[in-house]
Amino acid sequence: MTPLMNAWQAERIAVIGASEQPAKRGHQIVRALQTSAYNGAIYPIHPKAETIRGLPAFARMADLPAVPDLAVICTPLATVPDLLVDCAAHGTRVVVVVATAQPHERHLEQELRHVADEHGVRLIGTNTSGLLNPHAGINLAGMPTPTAGGLALVSQSGNVALSIMMQSMLYADSGLSGYIGVGNQTDLGFADYLGLFREDPATQAAMLYVEGVGDGQRFLQEVSRFTQTKPLVVLKAGKSQQAVAAVQSHTGSLAGNYRISADLLRTVGAYVVDQPEQLLPVAEVLSHQQGAPRGHWQVVTDGGGHGSVVADLMVDYGVDFAQTDTANPYDLAGAADDNPRVFADCIDAYLNRPEVDGVLVTGLFGGYHRRFDASLLEAEHAAAEAIVDTMRTTGKPVIVHSLYPVVDNPVLQALRAQGIAVVQSLDLAVRLMQALTWRARYRNRHPASLATAIRKRAVSEGAWLTEWEARHRLGQADLLSARDQSLMTHPGQAAEICHALGQQPMALKIMSPDIVHKSDVGGVMLNISGAEALSEAYGQLLHRVGAVCPDADLQGVLVTPMAKAGTELVVGFLNDVQYGSVLMLGIGGTWVEVLADVAFRALPVVENDVRDMIEQLDYKALVQGYRQSRPNDLDSLSRWVVRVADWYLKQDDILEMEFNPVLINPDGFAPVDVRIKAQHTNDRDAPQPNWNRMAP
C-alpha cells in the first residue's frame, strides 16, 4: 500500500497545533474528527496543554504512544520544516500542511519541498482546505461531513468544494467517496490524487476543479489512466485574463491557456464543464448510467414549449435526435394528466426500439399528484418503478427534467435512488445527454476493458526481446530491411559499420534485455557521423548507461541510419485474452500516452481498415500531411501495416509488438523503434549465431 493510500485510510491521526480555541484551525480539525464518526486514534499535539476537547494532549511527536498514519500541521509556515523532520523521524510519511505562505515567505515552499524529499515525507498542501474520507469518518476540512458515496472531489478551491458538498447534501442518495484540497501543490498534486482515487474501490467517478497544475504532462497521463476505467468531470478555471490573475493571486499557480488545457483534457477522456453546479450532476449520471456511441435520443414531453426549447438546446450541444415513426420531441398533450403511467408506457416503447439509444422526459412528471390530485401519487410511484425496470432491462439511459423539486418528493427521489438523473434545468438535462454520449464515444474509441486486459496480460507473461533481436526477426520476414542495421559490440567495428550503412548520420541505441525504455536511461544518441565519432559515441553510450544501470546486461549498441523527419505514429499489435489479436494505430512518439489518440481494430485488417483508423484520429491532419505541398505516403504505410498484421497472426509466441515511432512523410515511412514481447519457451529456436555480428 502506498503511503498516500495508507494515510487516506489512517487509523491514527496527529493534529500538530491543536488548540482549545474554537476559532483556531487546530481546534476545528479535532472537533471535526470527533463529530464525523472517526473510530481511529486522535493525537492532539500542543507544547503546554494537558487535554484538548477531552483528549490527552502530547507535547511533541516523540511522546505519542504509536506512529500516526497521517499528521496535520496547523502551525505557521515558518515552523513547518522542523516539524516535517520530526514527523519523518517518528515514521509518519504523509503530512497535511494548512498554512499559507505570505508574500515574504515564498521561499519557504521550496524549503518544504526540499525537506520533504530529503526525509521521504509527502505533503498535501500548502494552503490546503484539507481532506475528507466519509467512508472512514476522516474529516480534516472542518466542513460538514457529506454522505458517503461514490464520487471523489479534488479541488483547488475550498469554497468551490463546499458548494458541491452542500449541493450533494440536498439529496439523500448523493454522496462523496472523498475530497482533497490540493492547495498550492508544494509536493503532491492532481496527478497523485487521481492515482489514489483510481485505485480506491469506493470511487466510481471523480470531479476536479482545476486552476493550475505543476507537471502538466504527468497530469494528462494520469487523467488518461483514470478515464480508461472511471468517468472524470473537470471544471477548468482561467478563461479570461481576469480569471488568470485571480488564480495566480489565489494559489500562486499558473492557469495556463484555457483552450489548450480544455482541449487536451478532452483528448485524454475528461468531460469538461463550464460551471461548478454542473460537476456533481454530470459525474453522478456518468457513474450510474451508460450511453451509446451512436447517441440517438428521444424526447418525451407533456408540453410543447419544453419540447421546442429542448430541441434548440440539443442542436446547440450537438446531441442527435432518434429517427422514429413518431414526432421527436413527442408531446403527450395532456394524456398523462389523469394517468401518469402513460409516461412509463411511452418510455418503454421507445427504449425497446433499436433506433433509440436514450430518452429524456421533460415536464410535470413527479408533480401530477401535487398539481391535480393527491390520489395520483400511487400512479406516479408505479410509473417510476416501471421506468426503472425498463432502464435496467434495456440498459439504456433515462434523464428526467421535472418542474418540481426533488427534495421531499417521493416519486423523484425514488428515481434518483435507482440512478436516474432528475434535474430542474433543461440546459443541464441536455448537457447530461451530451455527457453520456460523449463518454460512450470516448470509451468506444479508447476501450477501457481492452486496454486494461492488454496491459494485465502484457505484464504477466513473456519477456521483451532486445531491439536487435526484434529487428532481426522482422528482417527475416522482409518486414524491415536487414541491411539498414548493425549491432556494434566493440569500437573497432566503427569503420566497417560506416562502410556498410553508407556515409550518413546514424542513430545509436543501447541493446540490453534488461532495458526496455532506452531513452529513460540515456541509452540513445543521434546524428553520429563518421567512423571516429561512431567509435567515441559507442564508448560514451556504454559508460553512461552502465552508470545508471550497473546490473544490466549490455549486449552492444544498435546502429541504424537516421530516419527522415516526419509525423510520429505508433503501430501496435496485441494479443488480448478477450478480443483476440488487435491492431492499435495512432499518434506516437512521446505523445502516445499523453494524447491517447489511438484507434483499435480486430485482426485481420485490410488497407481500408488502416485508412479508417487514421480518419478516426483527432489529429488525423498531422498524419495525412499538414500544410505541406504533398500528402504523406499513407498508401505505403497501409500496405506495410497489413503485411505486418498478417505475419503477426501467424506468430504463436509473440504476445505484443510495438513500432513507436513510425515516421511518415510524403516520401514514405520508417519504423524507428521496435519492441516485441515473446512467450517464455524452451523449445523456440535459439537466436541466430550471427546476431552478435554485423547484419549482412
Side-chain angles (χ1 to χ4, degrees):
M1 183 181 295
T2 65
L4 183 58
M5 180 62 79
N6 185 61
W8 182 246
Q9 301 168 350
E11 296 179 358
R12 295 171 295 276
I13 299 175
V15 183
I16 303 174
S19 173
E20 279 287 6
Q21 300 179 38
K24 296 286 189 179
R25 187 71 181 272
H27 179 94
Q28 296 165 1
I29 288 177
V30 174
R31 182 181 62 200
L33 285 170
Q34 289 178 315
T35 58
S36 63
Y38 177 61
N39 293 322
I42 306 170
Y43 299 144
I45 296 181
H46 188 282
K48 298 179 180 179
E50 294 185 1
T51 63
I52 290 178
R53 288 190 58 85
L55 297 172
F58 304 87
R60 54 186 181 173
M61 288 283 291
D63 298 333
L64 299 181
V67 176
D69 303 303
L70 177 65
V72 189
I73 299 178
C74 305
T75 58
L77 198 64
T79 67
V80 175
D82 290 339
L83 293 173
L84 288 182
V85 176
D86 288 345
C87 290
H90 294 89
T92 299
R93 296 302 174 194
V94 179
V95 178
V96 178
V97 180
V98 174
T100 303
Q102 301 301 315
H104 64 283
E105 295 180 317
R106 293 296 186 190
H107 66 285
L108 287 176
E109 293 204 1
Q110 293 182 350
E111 182 180 347
L112 288 179
R113 188 181 296 112
H114 174 74
V115 172
D117 289 343
E118 183 178 357
H119 293 275
V121 177
R122 304 310 307 267
L123 303 183
I124 298 174
T126 59
N127 187 27
T128 176
S129 52
L131 62 85
L132 282 160
N133 182 350
H135 291 279
I138 298 174
N139 186 338
L140 305 182
M143 306 173 186
T145 304
T147 303
L151 304 182
L153 171 62
V154 184
S155 175
Q156 217 156 356
S157 164
N159 284 350
V160 170
L162 180 58
S163 70
I164 293 170
M165 290 182 202
M166 299 305 294
Q167 187 182 6
S168 73
M169 291 178 186
L170 291 174
Y171 311 108
D173 55 296
S174 179
L176 298 185
S177 61
Y179 160 67
I180 297 177
V182 301
N184 290 7
Q185 303 178 87
T186 304
D187 176 26
L188 295 171
F190 281 105
D192 302 286
Y193 305 135
L194 278 174
L196 168 69
F197 288 123
R198 177 170 50 83
E199 298 295 334
D200 177 29
T203 298
Q204 298 171 335
M207 303 169 282
L208 303 186
Y209 169 71
V210 180
E211 293 181 351
V213 297
D215 187 341
Q217 205 169 72
R218 179 169 173 257
F219 170 61
L220 289 176
Q221 289 173 342
E222 197 58 53
V223 170
S224 178
R225 295 181 70 191
F226 189 95
T227 58
Q228 288 177 13
T229 55
K230 299 179 181 181
L232 178 65
V233 187
V234 179
L235 173 62
K236 175 67 177 75
K239 279 188 177 181
S240 65
Q241 289 301 315
Q242 291 83 355
V244 170
V247 165
Q248 291 172 341
S249 65
H250 176 212
T251 64
S253 301
L254 292 175
N257 183 297
Y258 174 86
R259 184 70 179 274
I260 293 175
S261 297
D263 285 351
L264 289 179
L265 282 166
R266 294 185 187 101
T267 302
V268 292
Y271 184 80
V272 180
V273 298
D274 302 315
Q275 301 294 331
E277 294 77 14
Q278 297 168 344
L279 279 169
L280 183 68
V282 173
E284 276 192 325
V285 77
L286 292 179
S287 69
H288 290 307
Q289 301 197 66
Q290 290 192 7
R294 186 178 59 174
H296 290 176
W297 288 82
Q298 177 69 42
V299 178
V300 178
T301 180
D302 55 11
H306 279 156
S308 298
V309 174
V310 167
D312 286 341
L313 288 170
M314 288 176 65
V315 172
D316 291 342
Y317 281 107
V319 179
D320 294 334
F321 293 90
Q323 301 299 317
T324 65
D325 55 3
T326 62
N328 191 3
Y330 179 72
D331 188 357
L332 294 175
D337 289 359
D338 58 358
N339 181 20
R341 177 69 192 224
V342 171
F343 267 105
D345 294 339
C346 189
I347 292 169
D348 182 79
Y350 277 125
L351 288 185
N352 279 288
R353 293 188 177 194
E355 65 268 32
V356 176
D357 299 317
V359 169
L360 168 67
V361 176
T362 172
L364 301 177
F365 189 78
Y368 282 94
H369 67 284
R370 293 187 177 181
R371 178 173 180 181
F372 297 112
D373 195 296
S375 64
L376 293 176
L377 176 60
E378 183 178 348
E380 285 199 281
H381 256 307
E385 292 176 357
I387 292 171
V388 170
D389 288 343
T390 298
M391 178 195 70
R392 289 177 174 172
T393 301
T394 63
K396 297 178 181 180
V398 177
I399 296 170
V400 175
H401 162 260
S402 178
L403 298 178
Y404 290 85
V406 177
V407 178
D408 296 327
N409 188 316
V411 176
L412 299 181
Q413 286 180 336
L415 290 175
R416 283 184 54 86
Q418 300 302 319
I420 292 180
V422 181
V423 298
Q424 287 186 282
S425 162
L426 281 175
D427 185 89
L428 178 57
V430 178
R431 180 174 275 277
L432 296 183
M433 297 161 70
Q434 182 198 54
L436 282 164
T437 301
W438 187 91
R439 172 72 178 163
R441 288 174 179 170
Y442 181 82
R443 287 171 63 87
N444 189 53
R445 295 278 297 277
H446 311 282
S449 57
L450 175 63
T452 302
I454 286 169
R455 293 307 166 196
K456 285 182 178 179
R457 183 176 177 87
V459 299
S460 63
E461 299 184 43
W464 292 103
L465 305 180
T466 65
E467 188 176 354
W468 171 253
E469 294 171 329
R471 282 178 169 271
H472 182 85
R473 188 161 176 179
L474 290 161
Q476 288 182 319
D478 197 28
L479 297 171
L480 289 179
S481 173
R483 297 185 178 277
D484 287 342
Q485 57 195 39
S486 295
L487 183 65
M488 188 174 182
T489 57
H490 59 83
Q493 291 177 299
E496 184 182 6
I497 290 175
C498 286
H499 176 74
L501 297 183
Q503 299 299 322
Q504 56 183 317
M506 292 167 286
L508 279 62
K509 289 181 279 189
I510 197 72
M511 287 297 103
S512 169
D514 304 317
I515 300 173
V516 177
H517 300 288
K518 297 176 280 293
S519 59
D520 290 350
V521 296
V524 178
M525 296 181 74
L526 304 177
N527 288 306
I528 305 300
S529 298
E532 183 178 348
L534 178 59
S535 178
E536 181 179 350
Y538 171 83
Q540 291 176 353
L541 197 60
L542 288 178
H543 176 74
R544 73 187 188 190
V545 174
V548 177
C549 306
D551 298 325
D553 177 16
L554 305 184
Q555 297 181 351
V557 172
L558 176 67
V559 184
T560 59
M562 287 292 296
K564 182 180 178 181
T567 297
E568 294 183 334
L569 298 177
V570 59
V571 178
F573 299 88
L574 311 113
N575 183 27
D576 175 60
V577 293
Q578 192 171 23
Y579 296 96
S581 298
V582 176
L583 164 66
M584 177 185 72
L585 185 149
I587 301 299
T590 58
W591 290 101
V592 62
E593 292 185 5
V594 178
L595 296 180
D597 190 11
V598 295
F600 292 94
R601 292 292 187 277
L603 296 184
V605 293
V606 296
E607 291 180 32
N608 283 341
D609 293 324
V610 179
R611 286 299 193 97
D612 288 342
M613 295 173 77
I614 295 171
E615 190 67 29
Q616 182 179 326
L617 300 177
D618 293 333
Y619 295 90
K620 61 184 178 183
L622 295 177
V623 184
Q624 294 164 341
Y626 177 64
R627 299 186 70 179
Q628 59 194 31
S629 58
R630 293 185 295 149
N632 287 333
D633 188 1
L634 300 183
D635 291 337
S636 295
L637 175 74
S638 299
R639 288 193 295 269
W640 176 76
V641 170
V642 171
R643 288 181 58 220
V644 177
D646 291 342
W647 177 81
Y648 171 76
L649 283 172
K650 300 173 184 176
Q651 312 306 305
D652 294 333
D653 65 316
I654 295 181
L655 297 173
E656 183 173 348
M657 181 166 62
E658 181 179 280
F659 301 85
N660 183 29
V662 176
L663 295 177
I664 185 170
N665 54 57
D667 297 318
F669 67 94
V672 175
D673 199 26
V674 184
R675 297 196 302 162
I676 291 179
K677 173 174 278 191
Q679 287 177 330
H680 292 294
T681 57
N682 295 324
D683 56 353
R684 189 159 60 93
D685 291 340
Q688 298 294 321
N690 67 344
W691 280 17
N692 285 328
R693 298 201 307 268
M694 186 170 59

